[in-house]
Amino acid sequence: MFTPSRKRTGPSSSGRRSNISLNTTPRLNSSLRTSGTSRTSLLRKSFAGRSPAVGNTSLISSSSPTVTSVFNANHHNIESYPSSLPVLITEAITQADDFSDISASLGENGWSTVVIKQQLFVWAHKPSGYVKTTVCKELRLPAPEDDVMHTSNNVCLDMDEDSAAVSVLVVTNNFHVQHWPNILTSTSNCNELKQESFVENETCFNISSIQPYGYLVTTTTGAVYQLHTTKSHLICHQLHTPKSLMSGISRRVSSFFFTPSQESVKIIQSFTKPTKIAGEFEMLILTSNSLQQWKVSAGNSEQATMQMVNEMDMQAVLAPKLKTNNSSSSVKIWPLDVMRASRKNHVTCLVGFSQSESTVNFALCVFSDLSKQDVDIVMIEHSSVAEVSDPHYYPSYKLVVEDPSSRFIDHIALWCGETLILKSLTVDGRNKMEDTIPFSNSGDKLVGAGQCDGRYIFLSIFNALLTCSSSLQSKLPPTLEDSILNSSLSSPLPSLDNSLNSIPGTPVMTQARMEHLETSGNTAQKLQAAFLYFCRNNIRQAQSLVDEVFPEEKSNHLLDGAVAVVSTDLLDDYPASDPRWAESVSGAASEYRGSAGSVILIHQLQDKQNAHSMFLKFLSEVGIWHRLSTISHGQGRNSTRWLLSEHSEKLCAANNLLQKHSSHQGIVDAAVRKVLDARGTTATHGGLTAKDYFYREVSKIEEILEYLIEAEVKSLSNSSLSSHERFSIILGVNSVFEAMLLSALNYRRTKALTFEDSASKKEFIPWTVGSGRVSVRTIISEQHKLTIEIGIPNANDNQQRSALYQSLVVLTDLVMEGYKEQLESLSKSEELSSKWAEVKSQHDRHRSLLIKPLIEIGQLDKSAILAEKYEDFDILIQVCEQSGGNERLLAYMKKFMDQGFSEFLFKWYIERKEYEKLLSCCENSPIQNQQLTKFLNSHPKLSWMHQLQSDNYTSAQDTLQHLASLEEDLCAAKKTYLSLGKLAAVFSDQPETKIKEKIEDFSQEQELVQYQETLPAVVLESMQTTIDTMPVYPPTKLIQLYIGDVNQNANEVDFKKAFELLRYLSDTDEEMEYDVEKWKLIVWCRAILKDRWADIDLSVDPFESCSHTVLFKTLQLAHTSGLLGEIVPEVDELLSCDELKELRKSSKFEYLLRASFERIQRTLLAASS
C-alpha cells in the first residue's frame, strides 16, 4: 500500500535489517570465481542496455525497460524489475574484487542503497514528485577498520517531500557518523560526529528513522542512541529506562540490553514503527532467544526513555508447537527476522528450527497479540542442510512480506545470498504454494531484498533488479486493470504524484487506486477493489472485503446493483493502452499514459472478454454468485445472472462483429455512423475513429442491428445496382447478423447451466431478440423478408441461392430460439400463464411466417429441419404432402408422439375434409392406428369407417347405431346409418342371438324411418321439404303430421299409421307432451272429427249410415290388421275429451259412437272365443 509521506518522516520499517550479513554469507563456488576480466565480461553482458552514467550521478530514462524472465518456477516467475539499475552501480559491481563486499537495502519508500567497500550508492528505483528522473548518487565512506566491512545496515535514508530533500545518515561499524542533509543538491556537504560519543567496543547494528525526532541507532550490545541532526552538526545521547521501571524488568533482560557482558545472546533484528501517540514509537527487538516489545518516548531529547511492554521466550513458546509428535528430540529454535505486517499489524516472525543434527526447517510465526502469546504458524517446505551442533552456526535467512499493508499476509519470501524461497499462502483456493529459486546454481547471488508498493524487489549480482511477476501479478491484462482503476475514480488522487504515470503499471499508482476504491463509499467501487484483489491472487483480501461490504447474514439489496455496475464497466471500459483515448477522456480515467498493452481493437475486446470471465469466476469463488437475485433491467426486474450472461454474450457478439467489419466495411461503417449519431457521439479527439467509439461501448452493441437494416434498405434503393451487388449487400448483412447473434446464442447454450436461475419466476427475453428501441426479433424478421423478396430473386446461380437459403435458416433459428427461451421462463410461473398464452400465439404466428416461405421456394428439406426443431406440425404436414411420402409422415408421428403430432394431423385432415387420407394415414403402423382409433372416438361419423376398415364390425355396428340415434338433421342419413349398421351386425363376430337382437333393433328403427318416408305428399309440401332433405322427426311429430290439419286428406290408412307409431312412444320419455293413452284418444278424436256426424240418417241401419266415415273405416282397417285390440278406447273416456266437447252434446252422435264401438267390442269378443 502506498501511503503519502509526511513531512520529515522516514520509512515505516527503516529499522529493518533487510540485507544478508556478508560475514556469514557463503562465498561463490570456486568454479565461478574467475578472473576479473572474464567476470567483468560476464557482468557487463548481464547489465547490457543500461543508461550511461554522468559524473557521479546516473540518470535513468523514465521509460520502462523490456521485462524479461529470469527464473521460471511452478508457481512464481522471477523477471526483471520495471526500472533499471543505474550504470554507475553496475560498473562498480563489475569492478568489485569480492561479491561479499556488496550489500544492498531496497526501501519501500522507493530509495535504495548499495554499499561496496567505501562506496555508497543511493538511487531512487521509482520516480517521485520531486525527482522527475531516477537519480543515482555516489558517496564516499571512511576506510573500514579491523577488516570489518561497511554494510547497507549502517545507512539510513530520510525523505522530506516538502523541501524536496533526501538526507543520508551513515554510522559505520566503528561509529564514525556521517550525515548528508540533502544529496539532491550536494554530496560534499557532510556533517560528522566523533566516535567518543559512543561506548567503546560497541558496533552499530542498524539505524531507524524516527523523524522528526532524529534517528535511533542500535548497537550489537543492546545500547540505543538517539541522534539529532541540524544543518551543521549532530547531537547524540544514549536512551535509558526510567529507574522506577527497572524493578519490573528481569535482571537478565536489563543486563543484556544495557551491558555488553552477555556475549551468548545477540541481537538478530530490530523493527521500529511510530504509534498513534505523537513522539512515541514501538521497537521490536529480536534476539537469539527472545522477542521483546519496547515503547520509545522520544518527544523530549533530554528525557527520551525506553520501556519494555512485552517479552517472549521464543524457545519456550514455539518449541512445543514446532515439535513433531513422533520425535523425542528437543527442538532448537533460531529466531531470524521480525516485522509488523497486515492491516492488523500482526507481529510476523521468521524462525528456523531443527530436531535433527543436519536439517534446519523454517516457519512463519504470526502473533496477533504478543501479551497473550497466541501464534499462528505456517510451515515452510524448504529446508537447509547444516551442522546444527556447531555452536557458531546461525541460519542467515531473512523475511520479506510482499505487501505488508494488505489485509492479510498472503505472499512472503525467504532469502539468503544463494537461495530465494517464494511462498503464496493462499492462491486460487490452493494453500501455501511454494517455489525455491537457487541463485547459486547459476553463480549468481542475492545481495538485497525488499518490497516497494506491495511488490517484491530483489538485487542480484548478475541479473540486477528483479521482481516476482506471478505472486501478486494480476490475472487481468495489465492495461485493463489500469483502465478499470482509472475509470472507476471520478477525480485524480491528490496524494499521488503525476510523474508516477510515466511508468506503465506503476505499483504505487495501482495500489493507491485500489485502496481508494476499497475505502470509497460506493459499493460498486468496493466490489471492484475486491475483484482486483482477487485478480492479484489476494484471495483472502478479496473475500474479507466482500464479507465486510456485503455480509451474508444480512439481505443486501445493493449487491446486485454493484455486480451489474462492475460488469457493465468492464464491457464499456476505456482502452488505457491507446494513447488516443487519453486525450478524449477527462478526469482520472485520462491520467494513465503509455501502457504496454495492445492498441488493436480485436485484442482490446479479447482483453475485456477475459476480464469478464475472470469477474464471473470471482463472483463464484467469493460466494456472491449464489446470493444474486434480481436487478432492474429494461422495463422491469430480471435475474442478475441473466444480465451477466447477456454481458458475456455481447462480448462474443462484439468480437465476431469486428471480425466481419472489414469484409463488409461499407455498410457496417454506415450503420456505425448512424449509431453514434443516435447516441449523440459526433466529436472525435486525438485521431479516434467512429469505429473506436462504437466498439468501446460493448453493452450497447445490439444498437447496430437496426441501423444495419436502414443502411441496407438505403443501399438497395439505388436503382443502378446490379443484381450481384444487391445479392452481395443482402448476404453481407446476413453474415453480420449471423456472426453477432449466433455467437451470442451459442455462448448462451453452452453456458446455460452456469447462468441458470431456477429460483427466478421472471420472464426472460434474450437481448438477441427483444431489446432496444426496436426489438431485435422485429429486425431479424425484416431481414428475413428482404432476403426472400430481394436477395433470392437477385441470386444468379445455385451457389448464391444456397448461401441465402442457409441464411434464412439461421435467421429463423435466431428468432425461434428466443421465443423458446422466453416461453420456458413464462412456464415456470402460474402468474404468467396469460402472458405465456399471448407469447405462444406470437410464437406460432412468427414461426409460420419465417418457415413457410422456404416451402414456397421449394426448400422442403430446410423447411422440415426447422419445422422439426420448433415443432411446426402444419409445416411438417405440408412438406409430407408435397413430397408425397407417407413413411415420412409416420416417422413424424412416432417422433412427436408425446407432443401431439398425430392428433394435429388428424384434425388437419378433418378441417380439409380429406377423410380418405385420414383413414389411410396409419394403415401400416399399429401404434399410430390405435391413436387414430382413440381420436375418432370423438368423431363417430368417421370412426365407423375406420372400424370397418379395421374389420372391427361390432364397434362399427355400435357406432352406426349411435349415429342413427343422434341424427336429427337428415332422415336419409339416419336411414343410411341404420342400413350400414344392420349390415355390420350381420358380419360381426358376435353370438347369433346377439346378432339377431341387433338386427331386430335396426329393423325397428328402419320401420320408423319408413313411416317418415311414406308421409303424404301434401304434408311434405306444406313442410317445404322432400324425402331426401327432410330432417328426422320423432314419433310424436309423425303422429301429428299424419293426423293433423296439414294432412287435409287424411284417411284410415294415415290414422292406422298414427296408431302404429304409438308403439315407438314410451311413457318414460320426458319430452313427450302426453302419455301413450292420451295419444290414443287424440288420434281417435281426430278420426271422429274428420266427418260430419249430424248429417247421418238414423232411420236406416246405423252401421250402414256410418260406413263412409273415417272412424268406421279406421276401425275396420285396424280390425283387419289385428291392431284394433291394442287401440280400442273406452267410449266414456273418448267422450270426455275436449276435442269432442261440441259433438257430445248431440245424443245422436253419442248413440252412433256407442253403437259402433259396442259392435266392435262384440266382434272382438267373438273372435277371441
Side-chain angles (χ1 to χ4, degrees):
M1 178 181 72
F2 175 81
T3 304
S5 299
R6 297 180 298 169
K7 183 177 180 180
R8 298 297 297 173
T9 56
S12 60
S13 61
S14 59
R16 284 182 43 75
R17 186 179 184 182
S18 57
N19 72 312
I20 303 175
S21 176
L22 297 180
N23 292 330
T24 60
T25 302
R27 295 184 177 273
L28 295 175
N29 295 334
S30 58
S31 61
L32 294 171
R33 290 201 301 256
T34 58
S35 66
T37 302
S38 61
R39 187 185 64 180
T40 301
S41 175
L42 176 60
L43 292 174
R44 290 188 183 279
K45 182 177 180 181
S46 66
F47 291 129
R50 307 297 186 177
S51 303
V54 180
N56 70 338
T57 301
S58 177
L59 302 179
I60 300 177
S61 170
S62 61
S63 62
S64 177
T66 301
V67 175
T68 57
S69 179
V70 178
F71 296 102
N72 287 315
N74 291 332
H75 310 297
H76 301 82
N77 181 41
I78 301 298
E79 63 186 25
S80 58
Y81 193 72
S83 66
S84 303
L85 189 68
V87 174
L88 196 64
I89 300 176
T90 65
E91 291 179 345
I93 293 176
T94 60
Q95 295 170 7
D97 296 329
D98 192 343
F99 290 158
S100 63
D101 296 337
I102 304 172
S103 65
S105 292
L106 307 175
E108 63 179 344
N109 53 23
W111 286 84
S112 298
T113 62
V114 172
V115 176
I116 306 177
K117 292 188 176 180
Q118 291 181 256
Q119 293 175 292
L120 168 60
F121 299 96
V122 182
W123 90 100
H125 55 258
K126 75 173 183 183
S128 61
Y130 52 91
V131 180
K132 301 304 179 184
T133 56
T134 305
V135 175
C136 178
K137 298 288 184 176
E138 179 181 358
L139 306 175
R140 196 71 180 173
L141 302 178
E145 298 180 4
D146 301 327
D147 294 328
V148 179
M149 303 304 299
H150 303 305
T151 71
S152 58
N153 285 337
N154 306 128
V155 182
C156 183
L157 301 182
D158 183 35
M159 284 73 66
D160 185 348
E161 294 187 2
D162 290 346
S163 60
V166 177
S167 63
V168 178
L169 179 73
V170 177
V171 181
T172 65
N173 289 326
N174 57 357
F175 283 95
H176 183 107
V177 181
Q178 295 176 294
H179 179 252
W180 287 266
N182 189 359
I183 63 172
L184 298 180
T185 58
S186 173
T187 58
S188 60
N189 182 16
C190 177
N191 300 321
E192 299 190 26
L193 184 67
K194 294 182 179 181
Q195 184 176 357
E196 286 76 13
S197 300
F198 299 89
V199 178
E200 293 184 5
N201 300 323
E202 287 187 322
T203 303
C204 175
F205 180 74
N206 70 357
I207 311 170
S208 302
S209 175
I210 56 170
Q211 302 300 340
Y213 308 103
Y215 303 87
L216 291 181
V217 178
T218 307
T219 71
T220 54
T221 61
V224 179
Y225 294 87
Q226 182 179 10
L227 282 175
H228 281 280
T229 62
T230 65
K231 292 184 178 180
S232 58
H233 61 281
L234 299 168
I235 302 173
C236 176
H237 70 276
Q238 185 175 359
L239 271 67
H240 298 280
T241 59
K243 293 181 179 179
S244 61
L245 297 177
M246 289 298 293
S247 60
I249 304 175
S250 67
R251 181 177 302 275
R252 179 185 59 79
V253 174
S254 60
S255 63
F256 156 67
F257 201 81
F258 293 101
T259 67
S261 60
Q262 299 293 330
E263 297 181 357
S264 60
V265 178
K266 61 180 180 179
I267 294 181
I268 304 302
Q269 185 61 281
S270 69
F271 178 89
T272 305
K273 181 177 181 179
T275 66
K276 296 180 181 179
I277 302 174
E280 183 177 289
F281 297 83
E282 176 197 55
M283 178 179 281
L284 296 175
I285 301 292
L286 185 67
T287 73
S288 55
N289 63 5
S290 68
L291 174 60
Q292 303 170 14
Q293 181 185 18
W294 292 81
K295 181 176 71 175
V296 178
S297 299
N300 188 327
S301 61
E302 297 300 328
Q303 299 179 2
T305 59
M306 294 182 64
Q307 176 182 348
M308 180 179 284
V309 179
N310 287 298
E311 180 187 12
M312 180 188 303
D313 187 329
M314 300 292 281
Q315 183 74 29
V317 172
L318 297 180
K321 299 180 182 297
L322 294 174
K323 183 177 182 179
T324 56
N325 296 331
N326 56 358
S327 175
S328 59
S329 303
S330 60
V331 179
K332 181 176 179 59
I333 303 291
W334 292 278
L336 301 177
D337 207 347
V338 70
M339 65 181 296
R340 280 199 179 270
S342 82
R343 294 186 188 174
K344 295 183 178 180
N345 281 321
H346 290 161
V347 174
T348 306
C349 186
L350 175 66
V351 300
F353 66 96
S354 177
Q355 289 182 268
S356 68
E357 295 296 325
S358 60
T359 302
V360 178
N361 299 99
F362 302 92
L364 183 72
C365 304
V366 181
F367 298 92
S368 57
D369 189 340
L370 282 179
S371 62
K372 297 180 180 179
Q373 299 185 352
D374 293 334
V375 61
D376 290 327
I377 297 178
V378 178
M379 303 301 295
I380 309 298
E381 297 174 14
H382 174 79
S383 62
S384 294
V385 177
E387 292 292 335
V388 176
S389 59
D390 184 354
H392 300 290
Y393 169 76
Y394 210 97
S396 58
Y397 284 90
K398 294 300 176 184
L399 172 69
V400 179
V401 176
E402 185 168 26
D403 187 4
S405 61
S406 63
R407 286 174 172 262
F408 303 97
I409 302 172
D410 288 313
H411 305 274
I412 62 171
L414 286 66
W415 71 281
C416 64
E418 296 76 24
T419 307
L420 173 65
I421 299 99
L422 295 164
K423 192 173 189 66
S424 299
L425 303 187
T426 304
V427 178
D428 288 339
R430 300 187 298 272
N431 290 328
K432 306 173 181 58
M433 296 193 303
E434 183 176 314
D435 286 315
T436 298
I437 313 295
F439 276 78
S440 59
N441 286 357
S442 59
D444 200 357
K445 176 183 178 181
L446 285 175
V447 294
Q451 65 84 26
C452 183
D453 305 318
R455 190 176 188 185
Y456 289 127
I457 178 171
F458 307 106
L459 178 61
S460 82
I461 295 297
F462 288 167
N463 292 288
L465 291 177
L466 301 171
T467 189
C468 179
S469 65
S470 54
S471 55
L472 289 182
Q473 180 77 7
S474 178
K475 300 175 185 177
L476 290 175
T479 59
L480 190 59
E481 180 184 60
D482 293 315
S483 184
I484 292 171
L485 285 168
N486 290 326
S487 61
S488 299
L489 303 177
S490 58
S491 60
L493 297 178
S495 62
L496 297 180
D497 300 312
N498 291 332
S499 61
L500 294 175
N501 295 326
S502 61
I503 298 181
T506 305
V508 61
M509 181 67 79
T510 300
Q511 188 66 21
R513 290 190 181 280
M514 287 174 68
E515 290 186 14
H516 181 89
L517 293 178
E518 185 177 348
T519 57
S520 166
N522 186 309
T523 54
Q525 290 188 353
K526 289 184 177 181
L527 184 65
Q528 277 182 325
F531 171 50
L532 293 174
Y533 279 127
F534 175 83
C535 293
R536 286 176 163 261
N537 289 326
N538 282 341
I539 309 299
R540 286 198 294 174
Q541 293 207 51
Q543 187 68 64
S544 175
L545 185 54
V546 167
D547 294 342
E548 175 186 312
V549 181
F550 308 106
E552 190 163 3
E553 62 273 9
K554 295 182 180 179
S555 177
N556 200 311
H557 65 282
L558 298 176
L559 176 59
D560 292 274
V563 168
V565 168
V566 175
S567 180
T568 305
D569 285 350
L570 287 174
L571 265 65
D572 297 342
D573 183 51
Y574 289 90
S577 57
D578 193 333
R580 298 172 302 163
W581 278 104
E583 299 179 18
S584 62
V585 182
S586 60
S590 66
E591 291 185 359
Y592 188 81
R593 299 289 193 277
S595 176
S598 176
V599 296
I600 301 173
L601 265 177
I602 188 64
H603 296 156
Q604 291 172 0
L605 289 176
Q606 289 169 355
D607 285 348
K608 288 186 177 184
Q609 202 166 10
N610 293 336
H612 197 264
S613 297
M614 185 62 63
F615 181 61
L616 298 179
K617 182 180 180 182
F618 157 74
L619 295 177
S620 175
E621 294 200 10
V622 299
I624 290 179
W625 188 261
H626 73 277
R627 298 172 57 193
L628 294 177
S629 179
T630 60
I631 186 71
S632 180
H633 186 52
Q635 297 180 350
R637 297 191 68 83
N638 255 327
S639 168
T640 308
R641 294 186 192 178
W642 293 346
L643 178 64
L644 293 172
S645 177
E646 176 179 317
H647 287 173
S648 296
E649 294 163 25
K650 286 184 176 180
L651 284 165
C652 293
N655 270 287
N656 282 273
L657 173 61
L658 184 56
Q659 292 173 24
K660 289 287 184 179
H661 196 128
S662 58
S663 303
H664 310 284
Q665 188 160 356
I667 198 163
V668 178
D669 280 347
V672 166
R673 288 191 294 271
K674 287 179 176 291
V675 170
L676 297 181
D677 289 343
R679 293 178 185 173
T681 307
T682 54
T684 57
H685 304 275
L688 288 170
T689 65
K691 194 174 179 181
D692 293 312
Y693 279 100
F694 172 73
Y695 283 104
R696 183 190 70 81
E697 295 190 80
V698 178
S699 65
K700 303 176 183 177
I701 196 72
E702 76 280 1
E703 291 178 358
I704 197 174
L705 298 173
E706 175 187 354
Y707 296 105
L708 273 172
I709 295 287
E710 285 190 17
E712 178 185 29
V713 171
K714 183 177 180 181
S715 298
L716 293 172
S717 64
N718 186 352
S719 59
S720 64
L721 292 177
S722 66
S723 61
H724 178 73
E725 289 172 327
R726 293 177 185 277
F727 161 79
S728 299
I729 291 173
I730 295 287
L731 186 62
V733 175
N734 283 344
S735 64
V736 171
F737 271 65
E738 294 170 21
M740 285 184 63
L741 302 179
L742 200 56
S743 64
L745 178 60
N746 289 336
Y747 178 90
R748 188 159 64 243
R749 286 170 175 168
T750 57
K751 300 291 184 178
L753 292 178
T754 301
F755 293 98
E756 182 183 15
D757 191 351
S758 57
S760 177
K761 302 298 181 181
K762 302 293 182 180
E763 179 183 11
F764 175 52
I765 305 178
W767 71 273
T768 50
V769 294
S771 62
R773 186 171 62 89
V774 179
S775 75
V776 180
R777 185 176 286 159
T778 303
I779 296 170
I780 298 174
S781 299
E782 180 63 24
Q783 182 61 23
H784 186 281
K785 183 179 179 182
L786 288 172
T787 304
I788 292 289
E789 296 178 353
I790 300 177
I792 293 176
N794 284 280
N796 296 323
D797 53 40
N798 290 335
Q799 185 176 0
Q800 291 183 354
R801 281 187 286 273
S802 295
L804 292 179
Y805 294 155
Q806 185 58 37
S807 292
L808 291 173
V809 172
V810 174
L811 293 174
T812 303
D813 263 328
L814 292 172
V815 174
M816 298 316 301
E817 281 294 330
Y819 270 121
K820 182 179 178 181
E821 292 167 324
Q822 187 178 1
L823 288 170
E824 285 178 357
S825 67
L826 290 170
S827 65
K828 295 179 181 179
S829 173
E830 294 182 1
E831 297 176 0
L832 298 174
S833 57
S834 59
K835 184 65 181 293
W836 184 93
E838 177 186 340
V839 175
K840 183 63 168 67
S841 177
Q842 296 173 3
H843 165 275
D844 295 346
R845 179 178 57 82
H846 230 144
R847 181 182 61 188
S848 179
L849 289 174
L850 293 171
I851 303 177
K852 192 172 183 180
L854 287 169
I855 293 183
E856 295 171 353
I857 59 178
Q859 293 300 301
L860 298 182
D861 289 341
K862 287 183 169 55
S863 300
I865 291 173
L866 289 171
E868 285 184 45
K869 190 173 184 180
Y870 302 110
E871 299 181 5
D872 191 331
F873 298 157
D874 182 68
I875 296 295
L876 289 177
I877 296 171
Q878 291 185 54
V879 169
C880 293
E881 287 291 301
Q882 292 195 26
S883 62
N886 198 51
E887 292 181 359
R888 190 173 197 174
L889 200 60
L890 287 173
Y892 289 144
M893 293 172 74
K894 293 178 182 178
K895 181 175 183 179
F896 299 109
M897 181 182 298
D898 296 335
Q899 289 75 31
F901 178 83
S902 297
E903 184 175 357
F904 185 93
L905 173 66
F906 303 152
K907 290 179 179 178
W908 194 89
Y909 281 137
I910 289 175
E911 288 172 0
R912 289 158 181 77
K913 294 183 172 55
E914 296 186 16
Y915 305 128
E916 183 179 354
K917 290 183 178 180
L918 171 64
L919 296 175
S920 62
C921 67
C922 302
E923 289 179 342
N924 300 322
S925 175
I927 296 177
Q928 275 64 51
N929 197 48
Q930 290 178 5
Q931 288 183 305
L932 178 58
T933 301
K934 184 178 180 180
F935 172 79
L936 291 176
N937 287 337
S938 57
H939 298 81
K941 291 184 179 181
L942 296 172
S943 65
W944 67 270
M945 290 184 278
H946 179 251
Q947 291 159 354
L948 289 176
Q949 192 177 41
S950 304
D951 296 333
N952 190 354
Y953 295 108
T954 302
S955 296
Q957 154 209 291
D958 294 337
T959 302
L960 288 165
Q961 187 176 21
H962 177 67
L963 285 172
S965 65
L966 296 177
E967 183 60 46
E968 295 178 351
D969 297 331
L970 200 61
C971 182
K974 182 173 183 177
K975 181 180 180 180
T976 302
Y977 291 144
L978 292 171
S979 300
L980 293 172
K982 189 175 183 179
L983 189 61
V986 172
F987 286 96
S988 68
D989 55 358
Q990 302 174 94
E992 286 296 325
T993 55
K994 187 67 174 179
I995 292 175
K996 289 180 180 180
E997 182 181 329
K998 282 294 180 181
I999 290 175
E1000 181 62 27
D1001 292 340
F1002 280 111
S1003 297
Q1004 288 183 7
E1005 290 294 322
Q1006 285 177 318
E1007 288 176 2
L1008 183 59
V1009 171
Q1010 189 175 7
Y1011 282 114
Q1012 183 169 338
E1013 289 180 329
T1014 56
L1015 283 170
V1018 66
V1019 174
L1020 296 178
E1021 185 178 347
S1022 66
M1023 298 293 291
Q1024 297 181 346
T1025 186
T1026 65
I1027 293 176
D1028 295 328
T1029 60
M1030 63 180 172
V1032 175
Y1033 298 134
T1036 54
K1037 179 68 174 179
L1038 291 176
I1039 293 171
Q1040 290 174 341
L1041 292 175
Y1042 271 111
I1043 66 175
D1045 295 337
V1046 293
N1047 190 6
Q1048 299 174 359
N1049 301 320
N1051 57 25
E1052 66 278 12
V1053 176
D1054 295 327
F1055 282 95
K1056 174 179 174 290
K1057 289 180 180 179
F1059 281 119
E1060 289 173 343
L1061 287 169
L1062 293 176
R1063 299 171 183 171
Y1064 298 96
L1065 299 182
S1066 173
D1067 290 337
T1068 62
D1069 191 346
E1070 296 180 357
E1071 295 184 0
M1072 280 183 46
E1073 185 178 1
Y1074 309 112
D1075 59 19
V1076 175
E1077 294 300 321
K1078 185 65 175 177
W1079 272 109
K1080 289 180 183 180
L1081 296 175
I1082 292 173
V1083 174
W1084 284 118
C1085 289
R1086 290 298 179 91
I1088 291 171
L1089 293 174
K1090 292 297 289 185
D1091 295 294
R1092 294 179 61 84
W1093 293 90
D1095 297 338
I1096 297 176
D1097 186 4
L1098 292 180
S1099 60
V1100 296
D1101 185 358
F1103 296 104
E1104 287 290 337
S1105 60
C1106 292
S1107 60
H1108 68 284
T1109 64
V1110 173
L1111 173 63
F1112 194 81
K1113 291 179 179 179
T1114 301
L1115 287 170
Q1116 286 184 321
L1117 184 59
H1119 174 68
T1120 304
S1121 60
L1123 180 64
L1124 186 58
E1126 299 177 19
I1127 62 175
V1128 64
E1130 292 293 333
V1131 176
D1132 291 336
E1133 289 183 8
L1134 187 59
L1135 288 172
S1136 65
C1137 293
D1138 291 340
E1139 288 87 343
L1140 304 180
K1141 180 172 60 176
E1142 294 298 328
L1143 287 177
R1144 70 172 173 252
K1145 294 178 182 179
S1146 171
S1147 57
K1148 178 181 176 180
F1149 166 74
E1150 184 178 353
Y1151 165 74
L1152 290 172
L1153 184 63
R1154 287 184 180 276
S1156 298
F1157 276 98
E1158 183 180 347
R1159 185 175 179 178
I1160 291 300
Q1161 290 286 355
R1162 290 182 180 273
T1163 303
L1164 290 175
L1165 288 173
S1168 61
S1169 60

